[in-house]
Amino acid sequence: MRELAKVELHLHLEGAANPALMRDMAKEKSIDISGAFTEQGMYRFEGFQSFLRTYEAVTSVLQTPADYARLTLDVLRNSAEQGVVYTELFLSPDFCGGRDVAAWREYVHAMQEAADQARRETGIQTRGIVTCIRHFDPMWSRETALCAAETKGDFITGFGMGGDETRGKPADFAYAFDLAREAELGLTAHAGEWGGAGMVRDTLRDLRVSRIGHGVQAIDDLALVDDLAEHEITLEVCPGSNVALGVYPAWHRHPISTLLERGVKVTVSTDDPPFFHTNLVSEYENLNRTFDWDADVFKTVNMNAVRAAFCDEDTRAQLTKDLESAYG
Ligand code: ADE
Ligand code: ZN
């Protein structure tokens, strides 16, 4: 599974942070975040709300563009070891300079340099999706979208939304998504992880995204599943995350295989891998064990990811060619 070429569309940069690195950085800065870790040195949380609190506590250690460069390089080296050839990272101006455009530019510059270094070392390609956070003030999402529009380029190619889907409604963020669409950024939003099939519908209607983060609860409305298939909406599915957070009680209860069989453009990602004791190789192994997915299915989901990637057409053509030769 490690050797299979992989394309990952849904990875939160801070959520991908190795806990040992974050503990080291906290120690270097004399910041006490010991409550965020278990005795075994893994991240401590119980359930989704507690996960979000731990995530933000850990993120408080990251305070400068240099910190973010260090994290980015570590995360991308790790992704490359999993066989990832192209990845998209969710990046949050809320954590990088408090949505100030000038400060955000410095963070972007630092992260792009780290991504360039990772590419030279391993060949991995990276794009950044600027992400607003749903449980923060919706007015902040407008500033976040402005950060995205002002830094759109070779590296920043998308705009998205993560955070607590049980709060607010998609329409509260329509202004931000309109601004990002006007800037010709690719659009994605988390929905249907916690908010049910209705939230997927509302998100598509109000934010007009081409991709949905998770979207798995669409399975409870088969007419919606047909709509997703017909309109070729891509789902960024993170099964290990869903099982770890209790969206589904076990792998065999996860709808990923059914969604794929019903014609939905399914892709596979890890979300926040060390939080959920997973990595992309482990996700593939679980998909193989649980649903008997073989190289043909993995080729399909990776081709789906290339098709939906927020990259230029030359890169898309090259990735398509690379996957064709990798999978045969
Ligand atoms: N931010 C990081 N991981 C997330 C998840 N699984 N859902 C919503 N927001 C997130
Ligand atoms: Zn996510």
Side-chain angles (χ1 to χ4, degrees):
M1 292 297 168
R2 192 171 295 275
E3 277 68 46
L4 288 181
K6 303 173 187 74
V7 174
E8 181 159 45
L9 299 182
H10 189 122
L11 185 66
H12 299 265
L13 179 59
E14 299 88 356
N18 182 334
L21 174 67
M22 301 309 283
R23 246 196 339 272
D24 285 353
M25 287 174 84
K27 200 165 161 202
E28 286 165 24
K29 293 165 186 275
S30 305
I31 301 171
D32 181 11
I33 53 160
S34 50
F37 299 102
T38 64
E39 281 89 66
Q40 292 76 35
M42 295 306 289
Y43 294 123
R44 179 197 298 280
F45 60 92
E46 255 174 75
F48 182 57
Q49 302 296 331
S50 152
F51 158 75
L52 290 174
R53 281 196 300 277
T54 298
Y55 188 111
E56 283 162 29
V58 170
T59 297
S60 71
V61 169
L62 299 159
Q63 297 174 337
T64 66
D67 293 342
Y68 267 87
R70 186 171 165 193
L71 172 62
T72 302
L73 184 58
D74 192 65
V75 165
L76 293 176
R77 282 176 175 156
N78 193 58
S79 288
E81 275 173 29
Q82 304 291 311
V84 177
V85 296
Y86 173 95
T87 190
E88 291 183 4
L89 297 174
F90 289 122
L91 309 173
S92 306
D94 288 294
F95 303 137
C96 299
R99 301 175 307 284
D100 175 80
V101 173
W104 170 245
R105 275 188 204 289
E106 292 185 23
Y107 280 89
V108 170
H109 181 72
M111 292 186 280
Q112 185 166 8
E113 281 200 335
D116 289 346
Q117 184 177 340
R119 175 139 193 216
R120 285 192 301 274
E121 287 180 9
T122 69
I124 191 170
Q125 294 204 64
T126 307
R127 300 291 185 276
I129 301 173
V130 176
T131 305
C132 63
I133 297 175
R134 183 158 168 169
H135 53 274
F136 294 171
D137 187 336
M139 292 305 284
W140 293 4
S141 71
R142 302 180 179 201
E143 299 171 17
T144 304
L146 188 61
C147 286
E150 289 288 332
T151 52
K152 189 206 168 204
D154 297 342
F155 180 58
I156 298 297
T157 57
F159 181 73
M161 177 164 67
D164 186 354
E165 195 193 333
T166 67
R167 307 252 294 267
K169 53 187 192 304
D172 300 339
F173 301 89
Y175 184 103
F177 277 79
D178 287 347
L179 198 165
R181 187 179 310 101
E182 195 70 26
E184 299 184 348
L185 289 151
L187 302 180
T188 177
H190 285 55
E193 179 189 20
W194 303 103
M199 192 65 77
V200 176
R201 276 198 189 283
D202 292 354
T203 300
L204 290 170
R205 184 193 61 214
D206 295 334
L207 305 183
R208 295 160 55 201
V209 293
S210 64
R211 298 179 1 200
I212 294 280
H214 301 284
V216 287
Q217 293 182 327
I219 199 67
D220 299 322
D221 176 350
L222 293 181
L224 172 61
V225 173
D226 288 345
D227 283 351
L228 296 177
E230 184 187 336
H231 295 106
E232 303 195 331
I233 301 298
T234 296
L235 299 188
E236 303 155 6
V237 183
C238 310
S241 160
N242 295 153
V243 172
L245 286 174
V247 179
Y248 295 100
W251 270 84
H252 70 276
R253 299 282 294 279
H254 196 282
I256 187 167
S257 215
T258 310
L259 288 163
L260 185 67
E261 283 158 19
R262 286 184 164 266
V264 178
K265 297 284 186 202
V266 164
T267 64
V268 177
S269 294
T270 54
D271 211 10
D272 310 281
F275 280 85
F276 307 135
H277 303 269
T278 190
N279 58 48
L280 205 48
V281 171
S282 165
E283 297 290 310
Y284 278 47
E285 284 170 350
N286 274 308
L287 289 164
N288 169 257
R289 254 198 304 274
T290 312
F291 302 112
D292 218 16
W293 282 19
D294 59 13
D296 284 346
V297 185
F298 289 121
K299 180 180 178 182
T300 299
V301 294
N302 280 295
M303 285 295 189
N304 287 346
V306 170
R307 184 189 153 280
F310 296 151
C311 65
D312 56 275
E313 295 313 313
D314 285 351
T315 302
R316 196 183 322 283
Q318 188 61 53
L319 287 168
T320 304
K321 237 168 91 182
D322 292 351
L323 286 188
E324 277 298 347
S325 60
Y327 284 87

